[in-house]
mmCIF file of all heavy atoms in Angstrom:
data_model
loop_
_atom_site.group_PDB
_atom_site.id
_atom_site.type_symbol
_atom_site.label_atom_id
_atom_site.label_comp_id
_atom_site.label_asym_id
_atom_site.label_seq_id
_atom_site.Cartn_x
_atom_site.Cartn_y
_atom_site.Cartn_z
ATOM 1 N N LEU A 1093 114.389 -52.014 -55.221
ATOM 2 C CA LEU A 1093 114.068 -53.151 -54.338
ATOM 3 C C LEU A 1093 114.535 -54.477 -54.911
ATOM 4 O O LEU A 1093 114.519 -54.696 -56.120
ATOM 5 C CB LEU A 1093 112.555 -53.202 -54.100
ATOM 6 C CG LEU A 1093 111.896 -51.909 -53.588
ATOM 7 C CD1 LEU A 1093 110.393 -52.093 -53.475
ATOM 8 C CD2 LEU A 1093 112.507 -51.490 -52.259
ATOM 9 N N ALA A 1094 114.910 -55.387 -54.011
ATOM 10 C CA ALA A 1094 115.286 -56.751 -54.361
ATOM 11 C C ALA A 1094 114.799 -57.674 -53.247
ATOM 12 O O ALA A 1094 114.762 -57.271 -52.073
ATOM 13 C CB ALA A 1094 116.787 -56.881 -54.537
ATOM 14 N N PRO A 1095 114.405 -58.908 -53.593
ATOM 15 C CA PRO A 1095 113.905 -59.820 -52.575
ATOM 16 C C PRO A 1095 115.014 -60.349 -51.655
ATOM 17 O O PRO A 1095 116.179 -60.463 -52.049
ATOM 18 C CB PRO A 1095 113.270 -60.960 -53.377
ATOM 19 C CG PRO A 1095 113.920 -60.884 -54.702
ATOM 20 C CD PRO A 1095 114.336 -59.476 -54.935
ATOM 21 N N CYS A 1096 114.633 -60.646 -50.418
ATOM 22 C CA CYS A 1096 115.482 -61.336 -49.455
ATOM 23 C C CYS A 1096 114.564 -62.170 -48.591
ATOM 24 O O CYS A 1096 113.344 -62.183 -48.793
ATOM 25 C CB CYS A 1096 116.305 -60.357 -48.624
ATOM 26 S SG CYS A 1096 115.377 -59.362 -47.441
ATOM 27 N N ASP A 1097 115.095 -62.895 -47.636
ATOM 28 C CA ASP A 1097 114.263 -63.711 -46.776
ATOM 29 C C ASP A 1097 113.474 -62.847 -45.805
ATOM 30 O O ASP A 1097 114.043 -61.997 -45.110
ATOM 31 C CB ASP A 1097 115.113 -64.699 -45.967
ATOM 32 C CG ASP A 1097 115.685 -65.816 -46.812
ATOM 33 O OD1 ASP A 1097 115.060 -66.144 -47.850
ATOM 34 O OD2 ASP A 1097 116.737 -66.361 -46.465
ATOM 35 N N MET A 1098 112.154 -63.068 -45.751
ATOM 36 C CA MET A 1098 111.294 -62.392 -44.784
ATOM 37 C C MET A 1098 111.395 -63.168 -43.479
ATOM 38 O O MET A 1098 111.343 -64.402 -43.489
ATOM 39 C CB MET A 1098 109.849 -62.400 -45.320
ATOM 40 C CG MET A 1098 108.877 -61.641 -44.490
ATOM 41 S SD MET A 1098 107.269 -61.560 -45.388
ATOM 42 C CE MET A 1098 106.171 -61.399 -44.013
ATOM 43 N N HIS A 1099 111.558 -62.503 -42.370
ATOM 44 C CA HIS A 1099 111.709 -63.185 -41.090
ATOM 45 C C HIS A 1099 111.074 -62.338 -39.972
ATOM 46 O O HIS A 1099 111.730 -61.504 -39.355
ATOM 47 C CB HIS A 1099 113.178 -63.498 -40.799
ATOM 48 C CG HIS A 1099 114.102 -62.322 -41.012
ATOM 49 N ND1 HIS A 1099 114.540 -61.937 -42.242
ATOM 50 C CD2 HIS A 1099 114.660 -61.465 -40.138
ATOM 51 C CE1 HIS A 1099 115.320 -60.879 -42.127
ATOM 52 N NE2 HIS A 1099 115.405 -60.578 -40.859
ATOM 53 N N LEU A 1100 109.808 -62.576 -39.747
ATOM 54 C CA LEU A 1100 109.059 -61.847 -38.726
ATOM 55 C C LEU A 1100 109.542 -62.261 -37.331
ATOM 56 O O LEU A 1100 110.024 -63.393 -37.142
ATOM 57 C CB LEU A 1100 107.566 -62.141 -38.848
ATOM 58 C CG LEU A 1100 106.898 -61.706 -40.146
ATOM 59 C CD1 LEU A 1100 105.462 -62.203 -40.195
ATOM 60 C CD2 LEU A 1100 106.919 -60.183 -40.271
ATOM 61 N N ASP A 1101 109.363 -61.363 -36.364
ATOM 62 C CA ASP A 1101 109.596 -61.733 -34.980
ATOM 63 C C ASP A 1101 108.603 -62.799 -34.575
ATOM 64 O O ASP A 1101 107.526 -62.908 -35.185
ATOM 65 C CB ASP A 1101 109.432 -60.507 -34.066
ATOM 66 C CG ASP A 1101 110.481 -59.430 -34.324
ATOM 67 O OD1 ASP A 1101 111.582 -59.764 -34.826
ATOM 68 O OD2 ASP A 1101 110.197 -58.256 -34.029
ATOM 69 N N GLU A 1102 108.910 -63.600 -33.556
ATOM 70 C CA GLU A 1102 108.047 -64.728 -33.203
ATOM 71 C C GLU A 1102 106.663 -64.298 -32.714
ATOM 72 O O GLU A 1102 105.712 -65.074 -32.790
ATOM 73 C CB GLU A 1102 108.710 -65.625 -32.163
ATOM 74 C CG GLU A 1102 108.912 -64.984 -30.808
ATOM 75 C CD GLU A 1102 109.569 -65.921 -29.798
ATOM 76 O OE1 GLU A 1102 110.382 -66.757 -30.204
ATOM 77 O OE2 GLU A 1102 109.240 -65.791 -28.611
ATOM 78 N N ASP A 1103 106.515 -63.062 -32.261
ATOM 79 C CA ASP A 1103 105.208 -62.593 -31.804
ATOM 80 C C ASP A 1103 104.588 -61.599 -32.775
ATOM 81 O O ASP A 1103 103.679 -60.840 -32.433
ATOM 82 C CB ASP A 1103 105.336 -61.946 -30.417
ATOM 83 C CG ASP A 1103 106.230 -60.724 -30.402
ATOM 84 O OD1 ASP A 1103 106.975 -60.484 -31.380
ATOM 85 O OD2 ASP A 1103 106.182 -59.986 -29.387
ATOM 86 N N GLU A 1104 105.035 -61.627 -34.023
ATOM 87 C CA GLU A 1104 104.595 -60.666 -35.045
ATOM 88 C C GLU A 1104 103.846 -61.398 -36.154
ATOM 89 O O GLU A 1104 104.348 -62.365 -36.715
ATOM 90 C CB GLU A 1104 105.835 -59.970 -35.606
ATOM 91 C CG GLU A 1104 105.585 -58.805 -36.508
ATOM 92 C CD GLU A 1104 106.870 -58.091 -36.855
ATOM 93 O OE1 GLU A 1104 107.917 -58.715 -37.029
ATOM 94 O OE2 GLU A 1104 106.803 -56.858 -36.948
ATOM 95 N N PHE A 1105 102.654 -60.918 -36.453
ATOM 96 C CA PHE A 1105 101.829 -61.513 -37.507
ATOM 97 C C PHE A 1105 101.302 -60.386 -38.387
ATOM 98 O O PHE A 1105 100.588 -59.508 -37.927
ATOM 99 C CB PHE A 1105 100.659 -62.302 -36.885
ATOM 100 C CG PHE A 1105 101.130 -63.346 -35.923
ATOM 101 C CD1 PHE A 1105 101.240 -63.066 -34.562
ATOM 102 C CD2 PHE A 1105 101.499 -64.606 -36.385
ATOM 103 C CE1 PHE A 1105 101.689 -64.031 -33.670
ATOM 104 C CE2 PHE A 1105 101.954 -65.571 -35.503
ATOM 105 C CZ PHE A 1105 102.049 -65.280 -34.156
ATOM 106 N N LEU A 1106 101.679 -60.413 -39.650
ATOM 107 C CA LEU A 1106 101.248 -59.373 -40.569
ATOM 108 C C LEU A 1106 101.298 -59.894 -41.996
ATOM 109 O O LEU A 1106 101.899 -60.938 -42.277
ATOM 110 C CB LEU A 1106 102.102 -58.114 -40.427
ATOM 111 C CG LEU A 1106 103.626 -58.252 -40.594
ATOM 112 C CD1 LEU A 1106 104.050 -58.307 -42.038
ATOM 113 C CD2 LEU A 1106 104.300 -57.100 -39.881
ATOM 114 N N THR A 1107 100.646 -59.178 -42.881
ATOM 115 C CA THR A 1107 100.637 -59.545 -44.300
ATOM 116 C C THR A 1107 101.093 -58.338 -45.111
ATOM 117 O O THR A 1107 100.471 -57.286 -45.081
ATOM 118 C CB THR A 1107 99.211 -59.938 -44.750
ATOM 119 O OG1 THR A 1107 98.744 -61.002 -43.919
ATOM 120 C CG2 THR A 1107 99.205 -60.374 -46.202
ATOM 121 N N PRO A 1108 102.239 -58.481 -45.836
ATOM 122 C CA PRO A 1108 102.660 -57.389 -46.737
ATOM 123 C C PRO A 1108 101.907 -57.446 -48.050
ATOM 124 O O PRO A 1108 101.599 -58.530 -48.555
ATOM 125 C CB PRO A 1108 104.152 -57.662 -46.946
ATOM 126 C CG PRO A 1108 104.297 -59.137 -46.748
ATOM 127 C CD PRO A 1108 103.198 -59.563 -45.801
ATOM 128 N N GLU A 1109 101.568 -56.289 -48.577
ATOM 129 C CA GLU A 1109 100.870 -56.205 -49.863
ATOM 130 C C GLU A 1109 101.373 -55.003 -50.655
ATOM 131 O O GLU A 1109 101.581 -53.938 -50.093
ATOM 132 C CB GLU A 1109 99.357 -56.049 -49.651
ATOM 133 C CG GLU A 1109 98.706 -57.283 -49.042
ATOM 134 C CD GLU A 1109 97.195 -57.174 -48.998
ATOM 135 O OE1 GLU A 1109 96.617 -56.488 -49.863
ATOM 136 O OE2 GLU A 1109 96.605 -57.790 -48.113
ATOM 137 N N LYS A 1110 101.542 -55.194 -51.962
ATOM 138 C CA LYS A 1110 101.854 -54.077 -52.846
ATOM 139 C C LYS A 1110 100.541 -53.376 -53.207
ATOM 140 O O LYS A 1110 99.576 -54.025 -53.603
ATOM 141 C CB LYS A 1110 102.529 -54.579 -54.126
ATOM 142 C CG LYS A 1110 103.955 -54.968 -53.947
ATOM 143 C CD LYS A 1110 104.666 -55.214 -55.269
ATOM 144 C CE LYS A 1110 104.175 -56.484 -55.896
ATOM 145 N NZ LYS A 1110 104.944 -56.849 -57.110
ATOM 146 N N VAL A 1111 100.548 -52.064 -53.067
ATOM 147 C CA VAL A 1111 99.361 -51.267 -53.366
ATOM 148 C C VAL A 1111 99.821 -50.162 -54.314
ATOM 149 O O VAL A 1111 100.843 -49.538 -54.088
ATOM 150 C CB VAL A 1111 98.787 -50.641 -52.065
ATOM 151 C CG1 VAL A 1111 97.627 -49.711 -52.349
ATOM 152 C CG2 VAL A 1111 98.364 -51.744 -51.095
ATOM 153 N N PRO A 1112 99.057 -49.894 -55.391
ATOM 154 C CA PRO A 1112 99.425 -48.762 -56.238
ATOM 155 C C PRO A 1112 99.561 -47.504 -55.364
ATOM 156 O O PRO A 1112 98.718 -47.239 -54.505
ATOM 157 C CB PRO A 1112 98.245 -48.641 -57.215
ATOM 158 C CG PRO A 1112 97.685 -50.031 -57.275
ATOM 159 C CD PRO A 1112 97.844 -50.582 -55.877
ATOM 160 N N PHE A 1113 100.626 -46.739 -55.606
ATOM 161 C CA PHE A 1113 100.892 -45.575 -54.755
ATOM 162 C C PHE A 1113 99.714 -44.614 -54.721
ATOM 163 O O PHE A 1113 99.308 -44.152 -53.645
ATOM 164 C CB PHE A 1113 102.168 -44.851 -55.188
ATOM 165 C CG PHE A 1113 102.503 -43.725 -54.273
ATOM 166 C CD1 PHE A 1113 103.141 -43.982 -53.069
ATOM 167 C CD2 PHE A 1113 102.153 -42.425 -54.565
ATOM 168 C CE1 PHE A 1113 103.427 -42.955 -52.189
ATOM 169 C CE2 PHE A 1113 102.433 -41.385 -53.692
ATOM 170 C CZ PHE A 1113 103.070 -41.644 -52.491
ATOM 171 N N ASP A 1114 99.127 -44.309 -55.866
ATOM 172 C CA ASP A 1114 97.995 -43.371 -55.893
ATOM 173 C C ASP A 1114 96.823 -43.906 -55.089
ATOM 174 O O ASP A 1114 96.089 -43.141 -54.440
ATOM 175 C CB ASP A 1114 97.578 -43.076 -57.338
ATOM 176 C CG ASP A 1114 98.624 -42.271 -58.099
ATOM 177 O OD1 ASP A 1114 99.485 -41.615 -57.440
ATOM 178 O OD2 ASP A 1114 98.621 -42.325 -59.353
ATOM 179 N N ARG A 1115 96.633 -45.231 -55.118
ATOM 180 C CA ARG A 1115 95.556 -45.853 -54.314
ATOM 181 C C ARG A 1115 95.855 -45.692 -52.836
ATOM 182 O O ARG A 1115 94.970 -45.423 -52.029
ATOM 183 C CB ARG A 1115 95.406 -47.325 -54.702
ATOM 184 C CG ARG A 1115 94.490 -48.125 -53.799
ATOM 185 C CD ARG A 1115 93.019 -47.735 -53.962
ATOM 186 N NE ARG A 1115 92.204 -48.507 -53.036
ATOM 187 C CZ ARG A 1115 91.430 -47.947 -52.083
ATOM 188 N NH1 ARG A 1115 91.317 -46.642 -51.984
ATOM 189 N NH2 ARG A 1115 90.755 -48.690 -51.266
ATOM 190 N N ALA A 1116 97.144 -45.848 -52.447
ATOM 191 C CA ALA A 1116 97.520 -45.693 -51.036
ATOM 192 C C ALA A 1116 97.214 -44.263 -50.563
ATOM 193 O O ALA A 1116 96.715 -44.060 -49.454
ATOM 194 C CB ALA A 1116 98.979 -46.029 -50.834
ATOM 195 N N VAL A 1117 97.490 -43.277 -51.401
ATOM 196 C CA VAL A 1117 97.178 -41.882 -51.060
ATOM 197 C C VAL A 1117 95.668 -41.713 -50.912
ATOM 198 O O VAL A 1117 95.188 -41.062 -49.974
ATOM 199 C CB VAL A 1117 97.773 -40.893 -52.079
ATOM 200 C CG1 VAL A 1117 97.256 -39.475 -51.849
ATOM 201 C CG2 VAL A 1117 99.296 -40.937 -52.030
ATOM 202 N N GLU A 1118 94.891 -42.312 -51.825
ATOM 203 C CA GLU A 1118 93.417 -42.270 -51.712
ATOM 204 C C GLU A 1118 92.979 -42.908 -50.392
ATOM 205 O O GLU A 1118 92.050 -42.412 -49.739
ATOM 206 C CB GLU A 1118 92.776 -43.026 -52.878
ATOM 207 C CG GLU A 1118 92.863 -42.341 -54.209
ATOM 208 C CD GLU A 1118 92.362 -43.220 -55.353
ATOM 209 O OE1 GLU A 1118 91.735 -44.280 -55.088
ATOM 210 O OE2 GLU A 1118 92.619 -42.867 -56.514
ATOM 211 N N MET A 1119 93.633 -43.993 -49.979
ATOM 212 C CA MET A 1119 93.301 -44.679 -48.712
ATOM 213 C C MET A 1119 93.566 -43.756 -47.528
ATOM 214 O O MET A 1119 92.833 -43.785 -46.531
ATOM 215 C CB MET A 1119 94.084 -45.979 -48.586
ATOM 216 C CG MET A 1119 93.646 -47.038 -49.601
ATOM 217 S SD MET A 1119 94.819 -48.429 -49.690
ATOM 218 C CE MET A 1119 94.495 -49.256 -48.116
ATOM 219 N N VAL A 1120 94.619 -42.935 -47.609
ATOM 220 C CA VAL A 1120 94.886 -41.946 -46.555
ATOM 221 C C VAL A 1120 93.771 -40.922 -46.535
ATOM 222 O O VAL A 1120 93.194 -40.634 -45.483
ATOM 223 C CB VAL A 1120 96.253 -41.264 -46.784
ATOM 224 C CG1 VAL A 1120 96.394 -40.015 -45.920
ATOM 225 C CG2 VAL A 1120 97.416 -42.215 -46.550
ATOM 226 N N LEU A 1121 93.445 -40.369 -47.690
ATOM 227 C CA LEU A 1121 92.452 -39.295 -47.755
ATOM 228 C C LEU A 1121 91.050 -39.753 -47.377
ATOM 229 O O LEU A 1121 90.268 -38.967 -46.833
ATOM 230 C CB LEU A 1121 92.469 -38.666 -49.149
ATOM 231 C CG LEU A 1121 93.791 -37.993 -49.537
ATOM 232 C CD1 LEU A 1121 93.734 -37.499 -50.971
ATOM 233 C CD2 LEU A 1121 94.172 -36.900 -48.567
ATOM 234 N N SER A 1122 90.736 -41.016 -47.627
ATOM 235 C CA SER A 1122 89.418 -41.547 -47.284
ATOM 236 C C SER A 1122 89.330 -42.001 -45.832
ATOM 237 O O SER A 1122 88.239 -42.310 -45.338
ATOM 238 C CB SER A 1122 89.058 -42.727 -48.200
ATOM 239 O OG SER A 1122 89.829 -43.867 -47.842
ATOM 240 N N GLY A 1123 90.455 -42.062 -45.142
ATOM 241 C CA GLY A 1123 90.459 -42.524 -43.753
ATOM 242 C C GLY A 1123 90.650 -44.021 -43.614
ATOM 243 O O GLY A 1123 90.621 -44.549 -42.505
ATOM 244 N N GLU A 1124 90.860 -44.714 -44.720
ATOM 245 C CA GLU A 1124 91.098 -46.164 -44.638
ATOM 246 C C GLU A 1124 92.481 -46.449 -44.011
ATOM 247 O O GLU A 1124 92.639 -47.421 -43.291
ATOM 248 C CB GLU A 1124 91.016 -46.780 -46.035
ATOM 249 C CG GLU A 1124 91.017 -48.273 -46.051
ATOM 250 C CD GLU A 1124 90.775 -48.840 -47.458
ATOM 251 O OE1 GLU A 1124 90.437 -48.086 -48.377
ATOM 252 O OE2 GLU A 1124 90.946 -50.067 -47.604
#
């Protein structure tokens, strides 16, 4: 990965976050 300019669509609102991969899998298994 390398950074570039983030450019959301005009009707798009979201927040990107880095999550430890193992934590993301736990979030799947817990239903989060």
Side-chain angles (χ1 to χ4, degrees):
L1093 306 177
C1096 69
D1097 289 333
M1098 185 172 153
H1099 48 281
L1100 297 173
D1101 295 335
E1102 67 179 32
D1103 63 346
E1104 189 172 37
F1105 304 93
L1106 56 80
T1107 303
E1109 293 187 28
K1110 285 190 289 187
V1111 175
F1113 184 80
D1114 292 339
R1115 171 70 182 121
V1117 171
E1118 289 172 13
M1119 293 167 72
V1120 166
L1121 297 176
S1122 73
E1124 190 174 351

